[in-house]
Amino acid sequence: MLSLVVLISGGGSNLRSLLEAAEDAEYPARVVAIGADRDADGLEHAEAFGIPTFVVPFTSYPDRESWADELLASVRVWSPDLVVLSGFMRLLPERFVQALAPNLINTHPAYLPEFPGAHGVSDAIAAGVTQTGASVIIVDNGVDSGPIIAQERVAVLPGDTEHSLHDRIKIVERQLLVQSVLDIANGTVNLQEPQQA
Ligand code: GAR
């Protein structure tokens, strides 16, 4: 059974998909703790599923390194097999990534390497593309530049707003995340030697 710590900043709908998947006794992963960099709305899912939480507020620390060191310490309390960044909207310093790599994955609302960064959905709309997508990657020291575990295209429809497009991307993203964790747990995806889906 793969143990997961999931880190969030927002509403946590991807997190909720993992929690729901893990209710199936056959699903080979369990969320053991949920962490956040702020008082994120998504922490309510933790309460609903009876999962412990920790919050390490970014704004309470003098610099990114000291914040990330505390976050890492909080993650390590749970000795997870895998850490999932699921709408976690803070850049993590190299020493945090190196401490967990390659057992650190991230979901992203674009077809990487297209539209990396914090504005993947609005950047796709601004670029006028007809297709974008969703990706699950292994985190490396760049911004959304790590090896791709899984990704899928999503059409940009005429009249799409950032909100409407993001909603459709997240439907795909949640399935990709649940499948990626399953693939990692059963060895179909080897994080040491990932191959593009
Ligand atoms: C997801 O679309 C995720 O890919 C994105 O935030 C959303 C969180 O949704 N993350 C990034 O853009 C990171 N660069 P959720 O809180 O409902 O799971």
Side-chain angles (χ1 to χ4, degrees):
M1 191 62 76
L2 199 74
S3 64
L4 313 175
V5 166
V6 182
L7 299 181
I8 63 169
S9 298
S13 69
N14 282 279
L15 159 69
R16 190 170 181 102
S17 300
L18 277 177
L19 291 168
E20 287 173 355
E23 288 200 309
D24 181 345
E26 306 267 298
Y27 191 74
R30 293 289 179 269
V31 179
V32 295
I34 296 160
D37 63 319
R38 65 189 77 170
D39 187 18
D41 288 347
L43 291 170
E44 72 189 23
H45 303 305
E47 198 177 328
F49 283 77
I51 309 289
T53 62
F54 56 88
V55 179
V56 184
F58 182 78
T59 49
S60 301
Y61 292 80
D63 52 53
R64 188 175 299 277
E65 280 68 27
S66 54
W67 163 76
D69 286 348
E70 184 59 33
L71 183 68
L72 180 60
S74 300
V75 166
R76 281 183 157 156
V77 165
W78 300 97
S79 304
D81 298 314
L82 181 69
V83 177
V84 181
L85 305 183
S86 184
F88 191 70
M89 301 305 283
R90 298 275 179 198
L91 291 176
L92 291 161
E94 189 171 335
R95 66 184 188 225
F96 182 100
V97 174
Q98 289 314 120
L100 296 173
N103 300 307
L104 177 63
I105 67 172
N106 183 33
T107 66
H108 185 74
Y111 199 86
L112 292 169
E114 301 167 5
F115 309 117
H119 309 289
V121 182
S122 55
D123 287 350
I125 289 190
V129 294
T130 56
Q131 289 194 100
T132 180
S135 305
V136 179
I137 63 169
I138 301 174
V139 178
D140 69 3
N141 289 317
V143 176
D144 299 322
S145 56
I148 293 162
I149 298 171
Q151 60 185 169
E152 196 171 317
R153 284 290 185 189
V154 175
V156 181
L157 302 178
D160 252 342
T161 61
E162 178 181 351
H163 189 75
S164 64
L165 179 56
H166 202 171
D167 277 352
R168 285 204 319 288
I169 290 171
K170 284 212 250 181
I171 292 169
V172 172
E173 193 179 0
R174 294 193 278 261
Q175 293 166 353
L176 284 181
L177 178 60
V178 168
Q179 184 65 45
S180 294
V181 169
L182 174 65
D183 289 344
I184 292 165
N186 68 20
T188 305
V189 167
N190 179 356
L191 294 177
Q192 307 287 341
E193 292 179 31
Q195 294 180 334
Q196 185 162 341

